Amino acid sequence: MSREWMEKKEKKMVLQDCSIEALNVAVNFMYGMNVPEDFTQYGDLLHLAELFMMENLKEVVVERLANNLSKGNYLETSKTAE
């Protein structure tokens, strides 16, 4: 927000393609809170981690996806990974 972008002038940012739950988790993560164990919207969370250049959050998401990988969610997880 150091440059003269629209978001700085208007003091707001519009985020699309993510859930409010994922946004809450991402903001909480910025303040040192862990990603809840029962959280499941990893695609949205990964999108936000990329958008805000949060490498440490990406690492957490990748680890969770790898740990939860199964035959039942393989296709969905592969699409998220791409």
Side-chain angles (χ1 to χ4, degrees):
M1 301 296 250
S2 62
R3 297 191 178 150
E4 292 301 317
W5 292 343
M6 180 179 66
E7 289 86 355
K8 181 178 180 183
K9 291 177 185 177
E10 294 183 7
K11 297 190 186 307
K12 69 178 180 178
M13 178 183 280
V14 177
L15 296 173
Q16 298 176 345
D17 301 326
C18 74
S19 66
I20 189 69
E21 293 84 6
L23 181 58
N24 282 331
V25 169
V27 170
N28 288 340
F29 189 84
M30 288 181 201
Y31 287 98
M33 296 177 69
N34 292 328
V35 176
E37 291 297 323
D38 61 343
F39 184 77
T40 60
Q41 298 175 20
Y42 292 113
D44 287 352
L45 193 56
L46 189 58
H47 170 73
L48 289 170
E50 296 233 352
L51 181 67
F52 294 125
M53 295 181 275
M54 298 171 66
E55 293 299 320
N56 51 349
L57 180 55
K58 280 200 270 186
E59 290 173 9
V60 170
V61 172
V62 168
E63 183 179 329
R64 292 277 181 93
L65 288 172
N67 290 339
N68 295 325
L69 190 61
S70 67
K71 288 181 182 179
N73 67 11
Y74 177 79
L75 186 58
E76 180 182 341
T77 301
S78 296
K79 288 179 182 179
T80 301
E82 287 178 11

